[in-house]
Amino acid sequence: MGANTSQVSDLSDNPSLKALVGTESISENDPFWNQLISFTFISPTSSGDSKLLEEAVIPLAKILIENNPRSGNFGALVRIFLGRTKELKISTECQDQLFIWQAHNALFMIRCLLKVFIREMSEEELHLQFSYQERAPGSCGETGSQDLLEELLSNLVHLIVEVPLLDITYSILFEAVTTLLVFFSYQLFHKDILRDGIIYQHIMKGRCLSLTSRLVKTLLYNFIRQEKCPPPATHIFEPKDEGGLLYGLASGVASGLWSVFTLGGAGSKAGIDQEHNPLPLSNQSLLLLLVLANLTDGPDWPNPYRQAITCFRNTQDTSSLSTEQPHTFQINFNSLYTALCEQQRSDQATLLLYTLLHQNANMRTYMLSRTDMDNLVMPILEILYHVEDRNSHHVYMALIILLILTEDDAFNRSIHEVVLKNISWYTERSLTEISLGSLLILVVIRTIQFNMTRTRDKYLHTNCLAALANMSAQFRCLHQYAAQRIISLFALLSKKHNKVLEQATQSLRGRQGDSTALPDYAQDLNVIEEVIRMMLEIINSCLSNSLHHNPNLVYALLYKRELFEQFRTHPSFQDIMQNLDTVIGFFSQRLEQAGSDLSVERVQEVIMKGAQALPTDRLKKFPELKFKYVEEDQPEDFFIPYVWSLVFNSGVGLHWSPHGIELFSMDSG
């Protein structure tokens, strides 16, 4: 990419780059191209490095946009890269590092230019940039012999699925994945969801279609492998004991033009940026997978990448693949499950987990059959516990995952059988020993309380309460603290109910014919009463189905029995309060008979014996509490802007401030 340049700020003065973007056509057979793509560089994976590089490329790219119709040099650069890709797999097998190195550099240059092209022009205009070829003065500047844009897209997909992931191929695979993301990034410049377009047509219906399942499988395996960037000592521009040809070429021709950018090496401040993205290929592969999965269906065809994600099966499944699912494949479920458990700190991994749980029945069945579900549930609970530090969409995904899991009764039973010790991240109280089920209840209740005091989001409330309701019939051996928090939440709701009711009453008395403030109070009161009703149903469900398994809840109920008195005659709660009154009355009588000044241990003993003696027919039966997550409840195309916000915020490859950023100001309700 040119000699005698040591800083990115000097790019605009580099003679090789000047020739590339200039008005003169350069033949594909010219030695210029070999010199141009012989430079030492590793793709930047930090936001700061990407931005610095992009700012240097923008003026050059704009000159090329103006001159390319006459020179066709951009198309020539693309064809130079395509020529290298035809032998890339063989080069990998033969350890031909020079070939891979130059192919990577060519693709990197294409990606940098494409970022600016896509920002500056429409898809139709971009397509023309691929069509221009070198020509004599006065002749036509376009040719229809080959769709170079489709050729590049197809070759990128082939590269990803066919070239094995090794130290020497890591960088070019990263570039291929990132370049595809750049191609799709037209969405970043539009407020509306894009449902059509040239790139969309090529990737959904063109030559890439036959590679759908292989591409999805490869991207999943890139995520599963979690390969870190190879250390600088393994990169191709380092001296080799067996021969110095490549090193001599790199040093003599390129003069370290791009060596300022390395992955956590020289040029990175103590590796700080590297810490934020230590697994760039894994991260980019997951982002591309999510983008592909969330492309909208066409009018006459479904999204094939979504089909592939929803129907793949375990490698241990020996049954024949269905011909009705053309894009299905097999993958190691155990490896995928392990990677999902380890990576839940990132939004994109949580979104993938949601996608698989919700849409892939094979994967959902496998996950729910695991005996180590705590490895998956604990990271989700930790996300919710640190709700203050997470964005709202990450929290929603975590809650929806819990809701989907709690739809399964076997899950609801098994989580109370898993005993955890010394939860380090739970700091409000020392929990030396607690069941996974009780911890789940504690974290969900904490999320509700946080929402009541901060965000006040009804959608979040709904998901939290729905998960608790799904679990309630299978509550078993609730931890004392979990039982207390259930009743404490009810106390908080009761206090809030009384406050709003008092405000509404005062407003009604003092309004003097002006009723403008009253509807707000009425709406607030209605919402609070809905939540109180749900909490009463959750408590009742536990008492009706597993009272004898939960003495701690009965104890907490008796200790705060006065909380429920005000709701006994309330028309919205009278029916559900009958069971609570029966339980409170029954155990209160038992405690009175046992005498006064009872110790805590004695009270618990009376409760445990009373639980066995209480006739079950004395409690009124209510319909089973069951809530199911339905994706249609989300706004249309909810996940498309969410996915692109993750791509944009990754800082790698897409660092600009797009005109269509309003796309990401999503209404979470």
Side-chain angles (χ1 to χ4, degrees):
M1 197 160 177
N4 304 319
T5 301
S6 59
Q7 296 183 14
V8 173
S9 58
D10 298 332
L11 287 182
S12 59
D13 298 324
N14 182 270
S16 296
L17 294 180
K18 281 185 175 181
L20 173 68
V21 304
T23 57
E24 296 298 322
S25 296
I26 305 173
S27 170
E28 294 171 35
N29 298 319
D30 196 304
F32 164 85
W33 296 106
N34 191 58
Q35 180 178 352
L36 180 72
I37 60 176
S38 297
F39 57 88
T40 55
F41 172 77
I42 307 169
S43 304
T45 61
S46 71
S47 178
D49 285 353
S50 291
K51 184 175 182 180
L52 182 64
L53 177 60
E54 183 184 329
E55 289 173 349
V57 170
I58 286 175
L60 291 167
K62 288 185 176 181
I63 296 173
L64 182 60
I65 290 172
E66 182 178 345
N67 293 333
N68 190 51
R70 192 168 8 179
S71 70
N73 285 341
F74 178 70
L77 175 62
V78 172
R79 283 186 287 274
I80 292 293
F81 167 71
L82 294 178
R84 296 293 197 280
T85 61
K86 293 176 182 177
E87 305 294 335
L88 204 54
K89 188 175 181 181
I90 297 176
S91 300
T92 303
E93 295 171 353
C94 299
Q95 296 285 302
D96 187 344
Q97 299 182 33
L98 173 61
F99 208 86
I100 299 169
W101 173 53
Q102 291 187 327
H104 162 269
N105 289 348
L107 180 55
F108 167 73
M109 294 179 66
I110 292 168
R111 192 251 289 184
C112 288
L113 293 170
L114 279 174
K115 283 178 62 179
V116 184
F117 284 10
I118 288 172
R119 183 169 66 176
E120 297 293 327
M121 64 185 72
S122 67
E123 278 190 89
E124 291 74 16
E125 292 169 326
L126 176 68
H127 198 201
L128 287 176
Q129 293 293 333
F130 281 86
S131 302
Y132 301 128
Q133 291 192 14
E134 59 178 293
R135 61 187 176 88
S139 63
C140 179
E142 297 179 37
T143 178
S145 60
Q146 178 191 45
D147 189 336
L148 199 58
L149 173 57
E150 183 177 18
E151 186 75 14
L152 177 57
L153 286 169
S154 177
N155 269 264
L156 289 174
V157 174
H158 274 278
L159 193 161
I160 293 169
V161 302
E162 292 180 354
V163 175
L165 175 54
L166 306 170
D167 280 356
I168 61 174
T169 61
Y170 190 101
S171 293
I172 193 168
L173 289 171
F174 171 80
E175 277 303 322
V177 171
T178 304
T179 304
L180 281 179
L181 275 174
V182 169
F183 266 118
F184 285 115
S185 64
Y186 269 108
Q187 182 64 78
L188 286 167
F189 298 97
H190 295 268
K191 297 177 183 179
D192 299 323
I193 304 300
L194 295 181
R195 304 179 187 279
D196 207 344
I198 298 171
I199 296 168
Y200 176 92
Q201 294 289 332
H202 285 324
I203 206 73
M204 296 280 270
K205 299 173 65 179
R207 291 160 54 187
C208 299
L209 183 62
S210 62
L211 295 172
T212 294
S213 59
R214 291 182 64 190
L215 178 58
V216 171
K217 183 176 182 177
T218 302
L219 295 175
L220 277 173
Y221 267 126
N222 286 348
F223 167 70
I224 289 170
R225 291 179 64 174
Q226 299 291 312
E227 292 284 351
K228 294 183 178 180
C229 292
T234 66
H235 285 311
I236 56 179
F237 52 81
E238 294 295 316
K240 305 295 179 183
D241 293 336
E242 63 271 19
L245 173 63
L246 175 62
Y247 178 67
L249 180 64
S251 300
V253 176
S255 299
L257 171 61
W258 294 105
S259 58
V260 64
F261 291 125
T262 60
L263 303 182
S268 176
K269 295 182 179 179
I272 293 175
D273 286 324
Q274 166 77 352
E275 293 175 3
H276 295 297
N277 187 18
L279 307 165
L281 178 60
S282 172
N283 183 62
Q284 293 295 83
S285 296
L286 180 51
L287 290 173
L288 178 58
L289 181 67
L290 292 171
V291 167
L292 290 170
N294 285 281
L295 293 174
T296 53
D297 294 335
D300 303 317
W301 66 89
N303 179 346
Y305 303 96
R306 187 182 300 130
Q307 284 183 317
I309 286 175
T310 59
C311 68
F312 69 77
R313 302 184 333 194
N314 197 351
T315 50
Q316 296 181 356
D317 186 347
T318 57
S319 60
S320 59
L321 297 177
S322 172
T323 56
E324 297 177 359
Q325 298 171 325
H327 304 296
T328 190
F329 59 91
Q330 291 181 295
I331 199 168
N332 189 307
F333 276 15
N334 181 62
S335 299
L336 180 54
Y337 178 82
T338 301
L340 287 168
C341 292
E342 293 174 349
Q343 299 298 317
Q344 287 307 302
R345 284 186 297 274
S346 73
D347 286 68
Q348 48 266 37
T350 304
L351 183 52
L352 176 63
L353 173 58
Y354 157 78
T355 302
L356 296 178
L357 269 175
H358 180 55
Q359 299 184 13
N360 190 311
N362 302 321
M363 193 68 193
R364 179 171 62 252
T365 300
Y366 175 83
M367 290 184 189
L368 290 170
S369 70
R370 296 282 302 205
T371 57
D372 60 346
M373 276 298 292
D374 52 306
N375 289 337
L376 186 67
V377 175
M378 288 290 283
I380 298 299
L381 295 183
E382 193 170 354
I383 292 169
L384 296 177
Y385 186 79
H386 297 293
V387 60
E388 302 95 335
D389 304 323
R390 303 290 180 179
N391 68 69
S392 60
H393 308 310
H394 200 181
V395 173
Y396 288 145
M397 288 297 98
L399 280 174
I400 292 171
I401 287 168
L402 286 185
L403 180 55
I404 294 172
L405 291 173
T406 59
E407 292 172 14
D408 184 75
D409 286 340
F411 169 83
N412 295 330
R413 288 190 296 270
S414 65
I415 56 175
H416 293 286
E417 299 169 1
V418 178
V419 178
L420 308 168
K421 295 185 178 181
N422 301 317
I423 315 302
S424 60
W425 49 262
Y426 194 97
T427 57
E428 292 179 45
R429 177 167 172 162
S430 177
L431 299 175
T432 56
E433 187 171 289
I434 189 172
S435 71
L436 179 60
S438 289
L439 181 64
L440 195 158
I441 293 168
L442 284 174
V443 173
V444 170
I445 287 176
R446 185 179 185 274
T447 306
I448 294 174
Q449 291 178 322
F450 174 83
N451 186 52
M452 287 176 62
T453 57
R454 303 281 185 89
T455 56
R456 299 183 181 182
D457 189 321
K458 184 179 179 181
Y459 180 76
L460 189 146
H461 264 349
T462 301
N463 279 284
C464 287
L465 291 169
L468 289 177
N470 285 346
M471 296 169 56
S472 58
Q474 278 83 34
F475 283 172
R476 294 289 188 277
C477 303
L478 290 182
H479 190 279
Q480 180 183 5
Y481 186 51
Q484 290 174 4
R485 298 307 295 164
I486 291 174
I487 304 303
S488 295
L489 176 58
F490 187 85
L492 181 63
L493 292 167
S494 176
K495 183 178 179 180
K496 193 171 184 66
H497 177 270
N498 293 339
K499 182 179 180 180
V500 174
L501 186 61
E502 182 181 351
Q503 290 173 336
T505 303
Q506 291 177 353
S507 176
L508 185 63
R509 290 172 181 170
R511 62 193 176 98
Q512 297 178 347
D514 181 11
S515 60
T516 53
L518 191 58
D520 291 337
Y521 287 122
Q523 184 177 6
D524 289 346
L525 196 63
N526 182 59
V527 171
I528 294 171
E529 289 184 352
E530 286 182 5
V531 177
I532 289 175
R533 171 77 191 192
M534 181 71 80
M535 282 301 301
L536 288 172
E537 289 182 342
I538 290 169
I539 295 171
N540 175 70
S541 175
C542 176
L543 297 176
S544 300
N545 292 282
S546 55
L547 183 145
H548 58 289
H549 288 299
N550 292 289
N552 284 331
L553 182 61
V554 176
Y555 183 97
L557 191 66
L558 292 173
Y559 189 74
K560 293 288 187 178
R561 70 189 81 178
E562 71 279 356
L563 286 174
F564 302 91
E565 292 179 1
Q566 62 177 308
F567 300 108
R568 186 173 293 127
T569 58
H570 195 292
S572 299
F573 313 121
Q574 276 182 319
D575 58 339
I576 203 77
M577 280 300 302
Q578 291 178 16
N579 280 353
L580 271 70
D581 279 342
T582 298
V583 172
I584 292 172
F586 176 83
F587 284 98
S588 296
Q589 184 179 17
R590 287 258 172 169
L591 290 173
E592 289 175 3
Q593 293 172 354
S596 57
D597 297 328
L598 301 176
S599 65
V600 173
E601 292 76 13
R602 176 58 180 153
V603 171
Q604 290 177 333
E605 182 183 344
V606 171
I607 290 173
M608 292 180 70
K609 289 182 178 179
Q612 301 296 330
L614 178 63
T616 56
D617 57 0
R618 289 184 59 180
L619 298 180
K620 180 182 177 181
K621 295 297 182 182
F622 286 84
E624 182 183 10
L625 288 178
K626 271 298 174 186
F627 293 87
K628 186 176 179 64
Y629 171 71
V630 181
E631 192 174 62
E632 286 71 24
D633 291 342
Q634 301 285 6
E636 184 182 13
D637 295 319
F638 176 87
F639 295 103
I640 295 177
Y642 179 36
V643 170
W644 274 109
S645 70
L646 299 180
V647 176
F648 177 76
N649 291 324
S650 71
V652 180
L654 298 170
H655 187 69
W656 56 69
S657 298
H659 310 303
I661 196 66
E662 291 87 352
L663 178 68
F664 307 132
S665 57
M666 296 158 52
D667 181 5
S668 57

